[in-house]
Amino acid sequence: MSTDNGATDLKSQDDPQLGILIRLFDRLFSDTYHTRLVRGEEEPVYLPAKDGFGHHRIVFAHGYFASALHEIAHWCIAGEARRQLEDYGYWYCPDGRDACQQAEFEKVEVKPQAIEWAFTLAAGRSFRVSTDNLNGAEPDRDAFTNAVQQQLLSYLENGFPSRAAQFIQALHQQFNTPPLCPISLQGQAA
């Protein structure tokens, strides 16, 4: 739940490292990008600064560490114009997508999930792709996992978007994890 100034209260059942993650993100980006990471009660959403809020807010779902990393990944990809729009102006079709809608969903999720995978490793955790369609067409999890992994390998070879690279470095320092490299992906249950 959010307080009036946009700060986040944590619940006792939340991941104990969630507060560390929120403080780390806010320390890196609240002044330079006027953006805060906020624990939400409902579905995740990005809210640009308005209506009395001086900061943009990345609201992640239900106190889940993985949700926070996923929403930060979307923010790291969004350009300046998209960061002025609620949920970056992205299309989203909820769970229950047909095969065509699922294919479109997976197409736009490859880059954010590749960045989320890097964040997850940098935080010393295991990653699993999310096809996010429990009540719709059966996704090809293996093909999607491969696409996300190939994008991650491309980022490792060619560089991450700047905010993502900055956050990965901060996660490494905070969680004392080794630098990412292709061998980091071995043994990952995606």
Side-chain angles (χ1 to χ4, degrees), residues 55-151:
H55 285 83
H56 309 294
R57 290 161 288 152
I58 301 170
V59 182
F60 63 95
H62 311 292
Y64 296 134
F65 197 94
S67 175
L69 295 181
H70 182 78
E71 297 311 312
I72 294 167
H74 276 289
W75 178 79
C76 287
I77 292 172
E80 177 65 31
R82 286 225 180 248
R83 292 194 314 272
Q84 303 310 310
L85 304 171
E86 184 171 325
D87 249 358
Y88 316 105
Y90 289 145
W91 161 88
Y92 180 75
C93 184
D95 188 5
R97 293 179 290 276
D98 64 28
C100 290
Q101 292 168 325
Q102 183 63 22
E104 186 63 24
F105 170 84
E106 290 177 12
K107 186 173 132 185
V108 300
E109 278 290 312
V110 168
K111 287 183 178 181
Q113 290 202 32
I115 291 171
E116 178 190 353
W117 194 340
F119 290 166
T120 303
L121 292 175
R125 294 173 175 238
S126 296
F127 176 77
R128 182 174 173 86
V129 298
S130 174
T131 54
D132 195 27
N133 201 30
L134 300 175
N135 298 310
E138 182 65 32
D140 184 344
R141 178 175 289 281
D142 291 337
F144 184 57
T145 298
N146 186 57
V148 173
Q149 184 176 38
Q150 291 307 307
Q151 180 61 57

Side-chain angles (χ1 to χ4, degrees), residues 4-66:
D4 290 339
N5 67 1
T8 302
D9 295 328
L10 299 177
K11 296 186 175 185
S12 61
Q13 71 271 22
D14 284 343
D15 185 312
Q17 293 182 325
L18 203 51
I20 294 167
L21 184 69
I22 291 169
R23 288 187 298 276
L24 179 65
F25 180 89
D26 289 353
R27 187 174 64 240
L28 289 171
F29 301 116
S30 67
D31 289 338
T32 54
Y33 290 94
H34 307 290
T35 304
R36 306 278 311 271
L37 184 61
V38 178
R39 182 201 190 282
E41 295 295 329
E42 303 295 326
E43 292 300 308
V45 64
Y46 172 79
L47 300 169
K50 65 178 185 174
D51 299 331
F53 285 94
H55 285 83
H56 309 294
R57 290 161 288 152
I58 301 170
V59 182
F60 63 95
H62 311 292
Y64 296 134
F65 197 94

